[in-house]
Amino acid sequence: MTIHLNRREALVGMGALVVSVMLPGVKANAAIATQASRLALKPEQLATYISINQDGSAVGWVGKVDMGQGTDIGWLKMIAEELDLSPERVSMVQGHTDLTVDQGGASGSTGIWRAGAALRNAAAEARRVLVEMASEKLSVPVDRLTVTDGVVSDKTDAAKKVSYGELIGGRHFDVTLEWNKHFGNELLVTGKAKPKSPSEYKTVGKPGTRRRDIAPKVLGTLDYMVDVKVPGMLHGRVIRPPVAGAVPVAVDESSVKDIPGVQVVRQKGFIGLVAPKEWDAIRAAQKLKVTWSDVKPPFPDQKDLFDHIRNAKPVHRDDEQNVGDVDKAFASAARIVEATYEWPFNSHACMAPACGVADMRDGEATIWTGGQKPHHCREGIAKMFVLPEEKIKVVAMTGPGSYGRNDAGDATMDAAVLSKAVGKPVRVQGMRHEGHGWDPKAPATIHKARAAIDKDGKVTAWHYETKGFSRREFFRDEGSPERTLAGQLMDWPLKPVWLIGPPSESYDFESRRLASEAIAPLLDRASPLRTSHFRDPLGPQVHFGVESFMDELALATNTDPVEFRLRYLKHPRDLAVVKAVAEKAAWKPHVGPSKQANGDVLTGRGIAYSVRGQTRVAVIAEVEVNRTTGKTWARRFFVAHDCGQVIAPDLLRQTLEGQIVQTASRALHEEVMFDNKGVTSVDWTTYPILDIKDAPEAIEIVLIDRPELPPVGAGEATCRPTAAAIANAIFDATGIRLRRAPFTPERLKAGMA
Amino acid sequence: MAKRIELNVNGTKHTIEAEPEMPLLYALRDDLGMKDPRFGCGLAQCGACTVLVNGEPTRSCVTPVDALAGKTITTLSGIGNADKPHKVQAAFIEEQVPQCGYCLNGWVMTSVALLEKNPRPSDAQIREALSGLKCRCGTHASILRAVKRAAQA
């Protein structure tokens, strides 16, 4: 894709025309629908979210980005529903900072939940306004009008009709919505119109709306982030230190003088280079002789990681959740059950090291990003280069997968620093070892669980403590330079955000204490082990402990694991997912490991459940463990999922499948390896992920649709219970309780020895 | 030193000037301006750069551009198009396989080669043939459905 740098050109073909219009029945003043009007986006304006093309098709504009789960299809179905248009006639524009307001980017599974709510309200209001306009034009009262696929007609005389395209096509709404004065995820707008009742839905909740990005991806015609080409663009590479924490003290530029067009850029601790050809930039980055400062290797031995966490002084303790008298319950307990669970660092390990393109010429900035939060990217660029945000345009492109704050935000800042230094557009993409080695990591944590059981076998106290690295050193992602590697290397003062968070479940024990504390990073600056949010930040880790322990309590109280959960769970929707998954899997109640053996293969099933926000999920995993090799195959999964109202059930199912497989990969295979100098798991051999040979044979999903409730997010919640379901299934198969992830053959063989 | 190298890509002959040891991937992307094969690892570990060389799935990220004289190179966009997708592409579209889709070259091109040799593979043969390819989004279940569908087409 070759880009021409007219800031407004991006709008051509998106249906925005330069037309002035009076909107009868709305306002007397003219809404001037120029292309430029999108540049002054106002969060309270209907036109910010919805526009109608001349052919009567609609465009939804959203400051979030689909990461390949079809969130855009969810949005356009919600818009189509409220507008009474077929979904095929609605398209979405996502994430571009010039074209959409800051709705927080892809964040916290809020795409449908938060942005969907705003778009739904806006579309409902747009329909109301269009019907009013039609009423005036046709001289038919509003209550006698009906809308069919964007044509407003008289219920009593079908010949009296007018289309959305005829009413407003190509011009902008001039309608003010009520705005809650928030940007980001919390942004909400409300119109006078009430959205439809679910009983009237034609497309929401129904399958069959095809994703628009699939065919171009499969046919090899989609422009990805890596395909952005700007005229005059150079290829950049950044050189990371061999020992984490070292900074360059001398650079021998003559070492790359035989490679054409190489230019070295050094700014404080940041060092990179550019060349006209990508291969030359790669070769130069490999050949460039850099003398690094002599620093003490900053990391402990990997084998001491969990001891380090245990012994480290906390820098932050989240607010404790206390119910009842926990201490008294423990003091009077007949029995106390305790266990500790551990989870290592995980890498985002996206399909490719991040790519970013920046053009910093002429006091303006244009950035192309594969990251999740283009508006935050703009904030970070504005601060780093002291530019007003209106001089910065960030274009959202499809990256190599993203499941949180990966390395995309580092690549854009690297590209911007290089572009600013050399005065030309620069494209940066790292090599594989830089992606795995330097992407932010999902934090390593330990989880201490303790329960008091009375003489009747009742659980009277539940105490859970998580301790580990912060799940978000990067609040608002790359929204400030110190949240990027380049910014850290250029001495921006760090502002860490400490957050761990408690588990989320509704076990109704008589008393409970949930606590969590964060420890300082192993290296405070430009660390290959800095931690960020990675799909369901800390959810799989925290709930691996919680739900493994619930199985341990079930065993300690001679209770079937499903029965145990049904006995103590309080929330009816939580009970419903547990019952639904048990029914789907035809769960056979039992106490203790079943150890079903067929030759060398042991088979078992395990359940786990959790809540994320308002979404609840229960998972049953069925595993086969080979007792000779110690290898686990997570063969089948059953899932019961309740995210309130279901928008697109077919896409939702695939989203859940992806979460199951990705989390099975983390649980069974993934562990960032490091030595005292840095990360040593720097490719797919040293950081293995689940292979297709080990993919589940079946993932059977029950969607509990609650059309009367808001849709509350489905992009992450299934990651949360999946690891524990696998651990519990392994216990059922083998009798071995694994309390440290990943569940590798070595650990199982050690348990079986 | 750079030299003139002839490449036959998707039925068209191109001549480029390149370092002979430069991987084919950079010739396709940088010199020919193509966008379908993508850089994933540069180590032949993931498949994002896969093309067919004389019909064999080949990791273009580690194949020196000088090693391709007289050979035919086919990329993802060369096996089919919107009007006439390859049956593997049609099946991947029908099953709505990709999430990010960055990895697709590997899965699609390897499946194309598999079905050429073995038009009716078993589930185990499909898994075996595709083993080693990476998908970080976890779309494995959809991929397996699509390859089975293509095999039945």
Side-chain angles (χ1 to χ4, degrees):
Chain A
M1 178 173 73
T2 300
I3 308 286
H4 300 284
L5 279 180
N6 180 330
R7 292 168 78 82
R8 312 247 162 106
E9 241 173 83
L11 285 160
V12 176
M14 286 178 180
L17 293 174
V18 186
V19 177
S20 294
V21 62
M22 300 291 281
L23 297 184
V26 181
K27 258 191 181 181
N29 59 326
I32 301 170
T34 63
Q35 293 170 7
S37 70
R38 286 217 76 82
L39 300 178
L41 289 164
K42 291 189 174 146
E44 70 278 13
Q45 278 294 315
L46 176 55
T48 296
Y49 309 96
I50 304 286
S51 61
I52 304 285
N53 294 323
Q54 282 178 314
D55 65 1
S57 60
V59 182
W61 309 78
V62 65
K64 286 189 174 290
V65 192
D66 172 49
M67 288 287 125
Q69 300 171 94
T71 316
D72 53 329
I73 299 298
W75 288 319
L76 69 84
K77 281 169 81 79
M78 295 168 90
I79 291 170
E81 190 65 69
E82 297 303 327
L83 282 174
D84 282 315
L85 263 180
S86 72
E88 286 66 37
R89 297 179 69 204
V90 185
S91 56
M92 296 301 304
V93 174
Q94 307 167 52
H96 299 51
T97 57
D98 268 14
L99 308 178
T100 65
V101 282
D102 175 4
Q103 289 177 275
S107 169
S109 296
T110 61
I112 296 294
W113 175 24
R114 303 284 205 166
L119 291 167
R120 171 177 271 169
N121 288 344
E125 181 67 359
R127 182 191 186 278
R128 186 190 71 76
V129 169
L130 287 161
V131 170
E132 262 187 30
M133 290 166 72
S135 167
E136 188 143 324
K137 185 148 187 157
L138 301 173
S139 301
V140 175
V142 163
D143 55 10
R144 239 174 63 199
L145 292 171
T146 183
V147 185
T148 308
D149 201 14
V151 176
V152 191
S153 60
D154 185 346
K155 287 178 197 165
T156 64
D157 177 4
K160 278 192 180 173
K161 61 180 181 182
V162 61
S163 71
Y164 285 171
E166 289 163 333
L167 286 168
I168 198 174
R171 295 160 296 170
H172 285 164
F173 289 104
D174 179 17
V175 176
T176 302
L177 303 166
E178 196 177 308
W179 170 45
N180 68 351
K181 304 290 186 285
H182 286 284
F183 284 105
N185 290 342
E186 283 74 32
L187 183 149
L188 184 68
V189 287
T190 315
K192 287 184 197 136
K194 251 180 87 169
K196 273 184 188 174
S197 151
S199 62
E200 300 171 66
Y201 285 166
K202 297 186 189 75
T203 178
V204 164
K206 314 278 191 298
T209 310
R210 312 287 275 174
R211 274 172 52 192
R212 315 283 166 82
D213 57 326
I214 297 266
K217 284 174 175 173
V218 173
L219 297 168
T221 57
L222 187 86
D223 286 313
Y224 278 85
M225 177 63 238
V226 290
D227 301 317
V228 171
K229 288 186 171 71
V230 183
M233 179 180 91
L234 300 174
H235 289 274
R237 285 293 185 276
V238 175
I239 293 107
R240 308 286 184 213
V243 179
V247 291
V249 290
V251 180
D252 176 9
E253 295 194 21
S254 70
S255 58
V256 292
K257 68 176 190 314
D258 59 331
I259 301 175
V262 175
Q263 213 179 325
V264 175
V265 174
R266 192 175 152 195
Q267 295 192 0
K268 298 185 179 169
F270 174 94
I271 182 161
L273 54 78
V274 296
K277 285 197 72 171
E278 183 170 18
W279 181 242
D280 289 337
I282 292 168
R283 291 194 298 150
Q286 285 162 352
K287 279 185 81 173
L288 185 70
K289 274 197 190 135
V290 181
T291 308
W292 298 93
S293 64
D294 191 15
V295 292
K296 183 172 170 279
F299 300 132
D301 271 358
Q302 178 145 20
K303 65 175 171 45
D304 299 329
L305 173 63
F306 295 108
D307 283 338
H308 171 88
I309 297 173
R310 243 182 296 280
N311 299 329
K313 196 171 163 241
V315 290
H316 165 84
R317 190 167 167 92
D318 295 330
D319 287 341
E320 241 178 51
Q321 294 183 16
N322 274 295
V323 174
D325 194 336
V326 174
D327 296 327
K328 193 175 155 197
F330 276 106
S332 60
R335 267 187 303 157
I336 291 172
V337 180
E338 288 179 290
T340 299
Y341 305 87
E342 296 161 338
W343 195 289
F345 289 109
N346 286 161
S347 170
H348 289 251
C350 291
M351 268 308 290
C355 177
V357 174
D359 184 350
M360 301 296 295
R361 290 175 296 184
D362 307 326
E364 297 193 351
T366 308
I367 311 287
W368 288 265
T369 179
Q372 296 192 174
K373 299 181 172 80
H375 292 84
H376 293 354
C377 177
R378 181 176 63 181
E379 286 171 25
I381 297 288
K383 281 187 207 165
M384 178 71 125
F385 300 98
V386 198
L387 280 174
E389 287 196 354
E390 58 272 19
K391 294 278 186 193
I392 305 166
K393 169 178 157 182
V394 180
V395 182
M397 301 294 298
T398 301
S402 186
Y403 323 99
R405 200 303 198 175
N406 65 7
D407 46 349
D410 297 315
T412 46
M413 192 61 91
D414 290 340
V417 170
L418 291 172
S419 172
K420 184 76 187 168
V422 302
K424 288 188 173 157
V426 172
R427 174 190 187 275
V428 165
Q429 184 174 26
M431 302 308 283
R432 183 70 267 169
H433 64 94
E434 291 157 338
H436 271 89
W438 289 89
D439 73 356
K441 304 298 185 291
T445 44
I446 57 177
H447 310 271
K448 280 171 74 175
R450 205 159 68 103
I453 299 172
D454 71 10
K455 61 179 177 12
D456 303 321
K458 188 166 120 188
V459 177
T460 53
W462 156 233
H463 178 194
Y464 195 72
E465 297 248 355
T466 293
K467 187 178 181 190
F469 300 99
S470 176
R471 75 179 220 199
R472 65 173 181 198
E473 279 185 40
F474 298 96
F475 182 58
R476 291 180 77 77
D477 288 21
E478 59 270 30
S480 195
E482 76 278 5
R483 291 179 226 134
T484 65
L485 279 175
Q488 294 188 357
L489 289 164
M490 290 162 71
D491 295 340
W492 279 73
L494 303 181
K495 293 175 200 155
V497 175
W498 311 115
L499 183 67
I500 298 283
S504 182
E505 32 73 13
S506 73
Y507 291 110
D508 189 22
F509 303 124
E510 282 170 17
S511 66
R512 57 203 268 127
R513 175 178 299 149
L514 306 179
S516 38
E517 48 195 24
I519 64 167
L522 295 167
L523 169 67
D524 72 347
R525 180 174 292 275
S527 170
L529 291 172
R530 72 219 146 102
T531 49
S532 77
H533 33 279
F534 175 25
R535 206 177 197 176
D536 189 20
L538 276 177
Q541 294 93 319
V542 166
H543 292 269
F544 162 55
V546 172
E547 286 294 297
S548 296
F549 191 64
M550 290 304 152
D551 261 33
E552 300 209 46
L553 289 180
L555 182 64
T557 56
N558 287 314
T559 317
D560 167 65
V562 170
E563 168 58 26
F564 181 87
R565 287 169 175 83
L566 294 177
R567 185 179 298 169
Y568 289 103
L569 284 177
K570 184 179 184 182
H571 199 291
R573 287 171 68 187
D574 297 4
L575 287 162
V577 288
V578 170
K579 283 179 188 162
V581 81
E583 189 183 327
K584 184 77 179 174
W587 178 267
K588 292 192 187 80
H590 62 283
V591 176
S594 25
K595 294 192 191 176
Q596 284 188 29
N598 181 4
D600 251 0
V601 176
L602 300 162
T603 305
R605 283 180 164 196
I607 184 170
Y609 125 94
S610 57
V611 181
R612 186 180 199 281
Q614 297 165 55
T615 300
R616 38 269 296 169
V617 189
V619 172
I620 288 175
E622 181 179 305
V623 301
E624 288 186 6
V625 180
N626 184 301
R627 66 175 133 200
T628 304
T629 64
K631 193 171 169 180
T632 299
W633 178 27
R635 179 174 184 160
R636 288 174 88 186
F637 287 91
F638 305 88
V639 183
H641 190 269
D642 172 2
C643 59
Q645 184 182 83
V646 172
I647 308 294
D650 41 357
L651 303 183
L652 177 56
R653 283 173 191 277
Q654 284 185 298
T655 293
L656 305 190
E657 285 182 353
Q659 290 171 68
I660 289 279
V661 173
Q662 193 182 60
T663 312
S665 177
R666 292 174 70 180
L668 290 165
H669 300 284
E670 296 182 29
E671 177 168 20
V672 171
M673 308 303 284
F674 58 91
D675 62 15
N676 61 359
K677 301 187 190 71
V679 169
T680 55
S681 52
V682 290
D683 57 25
W684 297 114
T685 304
T686 47
Y687 191 83
I689 62 171
L690 187 129
D691 189 79
I692 193 140
K693 274 207 260 189
D694 304 319
E697 195 174 73
I699 301 171
E700 298 184 34
I701 296 167
V702 184
L703 298 180
I704 300 178
D705 188 6
R706 299 190 185 275
E708 72 286 1
L709 296 177
V712 285
E716 299 173 90
T718 305
C719 299
R720 190 160 274 204
T722 297
I726 295 170
N728 291 339
I730 289 172
F731 177 76
D732 188 46
T734 64
I736 297 164
R737 173 56 63 186
L738 292 178
R739 299 192 181 90
R740 180 183 287 184
F743 317 139
T744 56
E746 293 69 34
R747 286 181 186 151
L748 271 154
K749 278 203 286 190
M752 286 186 281
Chain B
M1 281 300 289
K3 62 181 263 195
R4 280 168 70 84
I5 294 168
E6 198 170 271
L7 296 172
N8 180 347
V9 183
N10 295 336
T12 305
K13 285 193 172 144
H14 303 269
T15 305
I16 62 162
E17 289 269 336
E19 301 287 327
E21 77 279 8
M22 181 177 83
L24 170 63
L25 176 66
Y26 297 96
L28 297 174
R29 291 192 60 85
D30 225 15
D31 294 284
L32 305 187
M34 298 178 70
K35 60 190 180 190
D36 35 339
R38 287 180 280 271
F39 177 84
C41 65
L43 304 162
Q45 292 178 354
C46 77
C49 67
T50 305
V51 299
L52 300 178
V53 175
N54 290 350
E56 283 297 316
T58 301
R59 305 288 167 89
S60 67
C61 72
V62 294
T63 306
V65 70
D66 200 26
L68 294 151
K71 297 183 178 168
T72 59
I73 299 156
T74 310
T75 72
L76 184 64
S77 63
I79 59 168
N81 54 45
D83 294 330
K84 209 179 163 194
H86 188 281
K87 69 177 178 180
V88 172
Q89 290 174 316
F92 271 64
I93 293 168
E94 188 56 33
E95 293 290 346
Q96 299 274 290
V97 169
Q99 189 169 313
C100 81
Y102 196 93
C103 61
L104 274 174
N105 289 280
W107 301 103
V108 173
M109 302 307 269
T110 309
S111 299
V112 167
L114 166 68
L115 297 183
E116 281 292 317
K117 287 190 188 125
N118 180 0
R120 294 282 181 272
S122 66
D123 288 4
Q125 287 169 329
I126 293 172
R127 286 174 183 247
E128 187 63 41
L130 300 178
S131 179
L133 296 168
K134 302 293 181 288
C135 167
R136 186 54 167 154
C137 299
T139 67
H140 302 57
S142 297
I143 290 168
L144 291 171
R145 285 194 290 264
V147 180
K148 277 179 225 171
R149 176 184 283 270
Q152 286 153 10

